[in-house]
Each structure stands twice: as C-alpha cells, then as structure tokens.
Amino acid sequence: NSKVIQTPRYLVKGQGQKAKMRCIPEKGHPVVFWYQQNKNNEFKFLINFQNQEVLQQIDMTEKRFSAECPSNSPCSLEIQSSEAGDSALYLCASSLQQGASAETLYFGSGTRLTVL
Amino acid sequence: GEQVEQRPPHLSVREGDSAVITCTYTDPNSYYFFWYKQEPGASLQLLMKVFSSTEINEGQGFTVLLNKKDKRLSLNLTAAHPGDSAAYFCAVSPNAYKVIFGKGTHLHVLP
C-alpha cells in the first residue's frame, strides 16, 4: 500500500478563492509529481520536484498555481484563484529516483477539488 | 511529444473470461512502461513495471505484453473476477522525469 498521504480528501471552493492541498511523499522519496485527473480520467502533468527544486512545470501551473516541497514539511499545491475548470482530482505521487532510469510512481489517494 | 492511446475506454466481460486492454505509444525511445489499477475512490495501485528489454511479463492473474516493433503494450487479465472491476491505466516513461498516462479503461466484470 502506498504511503503517500494527501490532505484534504475533499475540497470545495468558490470561484476566485484559493485552494490549497498538501502531500507527504513516501519516506526517502526525493521526487514528487502532481497530476490533475479530470472527470474523463485524463491525466494532466502539473509539476514535479526533486527534493526542494522544481524540475518541470506546465505553463498553467507557472501562471496560476503556487507549489513547493520544503524540507521537513509537506509538499503543497495551491491554486491562487480557483476556476470552475479546476474541478478535478489532484494526485500527488512520489518516487525513489536513482539515476536516469524511470522509477515507479507511488500515488496518494488524491484531493478532489470542486469549484462552485 | 509522446502520445499514448489506450483502448477500449470501457470493457465488460463475464467472470472467468479474459480481458485485454491495449496501449499504443509514439516515442520509440520509451523505455519504461507501467500498468496501474484504480478502484473507485482509491489511489492508483501499481500492477506492473515493464522494461523495454522484456516482452512478456507475468503477474498474478495477468500478463503484460510489450511489442516494441508495433509500439504496443497490452494487459491481459486471464480469468477476470469481480474484484478486477476498476479503471486501468497504462503509463509510458521515456526518461526519469516524464510519465505519460493513457486515458484509462473502465473494466466491469459481471458475476
């Protein structure tokens, strides 16, 4: 069973409000991914980190999201001004990255965001 | 960039029948492949990680086939049971920091 912990499980916000979700990666995993899974089950990559450093992020994330993975604290993903289209399941995953090979992503249970 | 197409989007089979889900990908440099299972309200659970060097991979109750020539990855549940009812996702990874998911297959196993 995955030991990636995401909170809260459910989040309801009004349009224009901030929406913040957190993720504690599996112990010892330096790499963290955030994905958005929409109602059609499509995964959209948002951002990933290695330790505290951002590796990659998409344009939307750079413009509208605030994300960090501080040492000794949960990672967080915050939408600065929620839009209806942000309603989705936000999945955090961590991996034990070693060299250039792809390691398995271990997923949390997700935060389901509903923007009214 | 890499594109992953997963078929079928929905699949219903009777208990004991086989169920086959297929993904095709475009990047010939993809080296790592994953199958995940997602039950309703639950997280994604890894079924199998496949390296490009291995064509046939057997798990508990399922087989994963990789055809590099056709760039096709398939998951074959050999004798499905109701507990297999879930959404299944393939994922393709060309390198350590990029993972592209298929759109998923909703499998329903009828008793």
Side-chain angles (χ1 to χ4, degrees):
Chain A
N1 286 333
S2 173
K3 297 180 180 64
V4 176
I5 300 171
Q6 286 189 251
T7 56
R9 191 72 188 269
Y10 300 95
L11 191 55
V12 180
K13 294 291 179 181
Q15 293 193 49
Q17 289 187 317
K18 289 189 177 185
K20 188 169 186 175
M21 53 204 90
R22 292 176 176 81
C23 171
I24 301 175
E26 194 157 329
K27 191 174 181 180
H29 284 192
V31 178
V32 173
F33 285 75
W34 285 97
Y35 285 91
Q36 180 195 65
Q37 187 181 23
N38 66 20
K39 61 181 180 181
N40 296 321
N41 275 338
E42 296 163 335
F43 285 82
K44 180 187 284 186
F45 166 80
L46 296 176
I47 190 170
N48 59 2
F49 292 83
Q50 179 150 10
N51 296 314
Q52 292 80 53
E53 302 296 321
V54 174
L55 293 173
Q56 301 162 322
Q57 61 182 323
I58 62 171
D59 195 46
M60 178 182 81
T61 307
E62 194 167 1
K63 288 179 178 173
R64 299 183 51 239
F65 290 56
S66 173
E68 60 177 2
C69 266
S71 59
N72 301 317
S73 290
C75 297
S76 64
L77 180 71
E78 182 175 38
I79 306 173
Q80 296 300 301
S81 179
S82 301
E83 300 172 359
D86 295 328
S87 296
L89 181 66
Y90 289 82
L91 290 163
C92 173
S94 70
S95 75
L96 178 63
Q97 205 56 46
Q98 293 177 334
S101 68
E103 293 290 337
T104 302
L105 294 181
Y106 292 90
F107 284 84
S109 297
T111 292
R112 185 164 295 282
L113 171 66
T114 302
V115 181
L116 301 174
Chain B
E2 171 75 276
Q3 292 183 38
V4 177
E5 187 169 328
Q6 184 171 342
R7 289 280 186 268
H10 299 278
L11 181 60
S12 289
V13 300
R14 293 230 171 253
E15 185 173 5
D17 288 349
S18 64
V20 180
I21 303 169
T22 301
C23 286
T24 54
Y25 58 96
T26 56
D27 187 346
N29 296 317
S30 294
Y31 295 119
Y32 304 94
F33 308 86
F34 305 84
W35 281 104
Y36 286 89
K37 176 183 179 182
Q38 186 179 30
E39 295 179 359
S43 183
L44 278 84
Q45 171 195 351
L46 177 73
L47 289 179
M48 183 168 281
K49 176 184 179 182
V50 177
F51 295 101
S52 61
S53 58
T54 309
E55 292 187 343
I56 300 174
N57 300 266
E58 294 191 355
Q60 199 163 11
F62 61 89
T63 303
V64 171
L65 299 176
L66 176 63
N67 182 325
K68 289 180 287 183
K69 176 174 171 291
D70 294 341
K71 296 195 284 292
R72 182 183 296 122
L73 177 75
S74 64
L75 171 69
N76 185 346
L77 284 79
T78 46
H81 56 84
D84 291 329
S85 296
Y88 291 82
F89 296 89
C90 65
V92 175
S93 183
N95 60 48
Y97 304 106
K98 191 171 184 179
V99 182
I100 299 108
F101 286 84
K103 290 187 179 181
T105 296
H106 284 275
L107 173 65
H108 186 48
V109 182
L110 303 165

